Amino acid sequence: MTGPLEAHLRSRRDAGRKLLVPYVTGGLRDDWLDVLRALVAAGADAVEVGIPFSDPVMDGPTIQEASQRALDRGTTPATILSELRHVEVGVPLVAMTYFNLVFRAGTERFAKEAAAAGVSGVIVPDVPLEELGEWAPAADAAGLETVLLASPISPDERLARLCARSRGFVYGVNLMGVTGERAALGERSARLARRLKAATDLPVVMGFGVSSGDQARAVAEPADGVVVASAIMRRVLDGASADEAGEFTAGLRAALDAG
Amino acid sequence: MTAPVMGEPDATGRFGRFGGRFVPETLMPACLELEAAFRDAWADVAFRAELDRLLRDYAGRPSRLTECERLGEHLGLRLLLKREDLNHTGSHKINNVLGQALLTKRMGKHRVVAETGAGQHGVASATAAALLGLDCVVYMGEVDMARQELNVFRMRLLGTEVRPASSGSRTLKDAVNEAMRDWVATVETTHYLLGSVMGPHPYPWMVRELHRVVGDEAREQCRALTGGDPDVVVACVGGGSNAAGIFAGFAELPAVALVGAEPAGGAAIGRGVPGVVHGSKSFLVQDEFGQVQEAQSISAGLDYPGVGPEHAHLADAGRARYEAVTDDEVLDAFVMLSRTEGIIPALESAHALAWVIREREALAGRTVLVNLSGRGDKDVQQVSEILGDDAGRSRATLRGPAASPASPVRPAGPVRPAGSVRPAGSVRPAGPVRPA
Ligand SMILES: Cc1ncc(COP(=O)(O)O)c(C=O)c1O
């Protein structure tokens, strides 16, 4: 059973395009929906929307700060989802959050409300395979695709199970560590991408640390695409307008297309 | 045969509906490896003998059981203290740390990271790292670094790097966040030396087993001293490790009541609802959307919005109950034990005493065992700033007992002037214990 997120990414990949999945923290600023639209206009194939949590243990300083600023503005899961209801961006949206927000709302309620807001996929990094029973039934019932993360040290046996259970795409984590820009991404990214490509036909999208067009091209090369989050959010935190965030993202797009 | 009350969690690391392993994929292999390594070590007589030797010759176990005759008489009950304050480094934390540090070496890792609130777990970790030749980094909230300056220096003296956690509430919760972020990046060579019965499976179970020695010793010591078991066992609860350790020795004895004293400003069981943070499902102080709220306690070691999952389960099952005490009640208890017994307790441990003092009427004539989880040297500076020149003289009196023992939070009464006398039920009139 192929959901809309997976179908969309497959068709773009099969058309020979490297996938670009930029990220925006929901509710970061008044104009965060303009940022979202600018990312799509710049050539995003899907957009990850962060629903901020008070204790984001998988995130480095940039996303931590973005989350805190959004929370300080009074952002809640409900405000983000209700704002998303009114936008039609033309590419699938993937919500990224931590499990406590889902659990607190009630998994079924959260899944239904996310689906009703037009979200296609969900990433909950603190729900590993072993705990998926807490979330996946509600997500499946609501038609949400739950994207699983694979790490450079996931053994082959786990990678196979992850790939079999992931929906939409498989998210390969480029490095050991939290999100945040890195000057260089090591060999581990390419090695994991190759292992994932060998294990699944799902789109394989690599993320964490991707900071520039050159890095995006290199990381996407053995995979199907990249997620870029902190590099965009740092610019937005530093005051970049929606258009400027879009310009940076267009640069990533151009680098991927040139690859 | 029925399952033991404090036995092993199920295969998913759950105690009833709480616990689990809510960690990113990057950490999952390490959690699985740790569980296997602990299981193997715990069944290995050579490992157990090495740990027992360290606990005895290095940490000074068994810790003593002290009967508090003056304070007991004052309160109208029989008061026994399990003296974890007398351990090397001054608290129960050393039990867990020595076990995990040995396990770190056994797993072939050479570096540990730890979080600390009051600094006691950080100091214990730094100590074990020095003893066993491990690299050690301790994360500590900026607020706590300020209120526990001496412990920061101790850790540095022991060769540990102390890194400030400067996000969020800048207390224990944020130190845990930073330690987890470090661990995600370094897990191949680093063990996360978690300081309480929290976090993902196997930590809550492993840390409780490493502290079980407290309860096992206390049970035998009580029997030797009194010829029986205590009526009530009381311990303070932050993450809940000292409580889990002492409860484990009595959980199978249904006649023994188990009471956890939580800080009113961070009462996860009293005020929280189920949630998931730092790797496990438990009670958590949070807002309606699931954002974790900042705890607020006079004691850095209890300034945590969550609680270990096994405590959530013991509360659920009705085997233990958890009561909140206020900062004010804690200060009274801190002063009272100092003045009546010459024992300065850690502010954390004073929470357990504060509950006993408040409930003394209901406890009249009973034998009450309190886990004195740590000594108060680290808190003297902070308390001196609060009490000033009076040095707590005006607090050395008994205030009114709680309206009802079940009331979760009760504001402290007004501070009574020194020398005021009030008869409190079976408790004898309480002037200042030591006239100035
Ligand atoms: C003396 C003492 N008791 C208790 C605690 C709280 O920890 P736990 O609830 O895990 O026993 C601390 C933590 O720093 C402590 O230093």
Side-chain angles (χ1 to χ4, degrees), chain B residues 90-93 116-121 195-197 236-243 300-302 346 348-349 373-375 378:
Chain B
S91 81
H92 70 291
K93 299 283 183 189
T116 198
Q120 289 305 94
H121 175 61
S196 193
V197 286
C236 67
V237 175
S241 65
N242 86 89
L302 304 184
E348 290 79 14
S349 322
S373 56
R375 65 180 181 225
K378 68 182 174 58

Side-chain angles (χ1 to χ4, degrees), chain B residues 65-82 221-234 341 353 355-357 359-370 426-427:
Chain B
L65 188 78
T66 300
E67 171 146 22
C68 295
E69 290 183 3
R70 293 193 70 214
L71 183 54
E73 188 189 339
H74 193 58
L75 298 175
L77 46 85
R78 188 158 191 195
L79 181 64
L80 308 176
L81 299 184
K82 179 60 174 162
Q221 290 167 323
C222 270
R223 286 179 181 172
L225 181 74
T226 71
D229 295 321
D231 297 299
V232 188
V233 175
V234 191
E341 297 289 341
L353 279 167
W355 180 82
V356 175
I357 293 168
E359 301 303 328
R360 62 190 180 276
E361 285 195 349
L363 296 171
R366 303 299 183 87
T367 299
V368 179
L369 169 64
V370 168
S426 63
V427 180

Side-chain angles (χ1 to χ4, degrees), chain A residues 124-148:
Chain A
V124 196
D126 54 348
V127 178
L129 268 180
E130 281 73 3
E131 299 293 350
L132 214 50
E134 293 262 346
W135 159 244
D140 292 350
L144 287 178
E145 292 160 83
T146 300
V147 178
L148 297 184

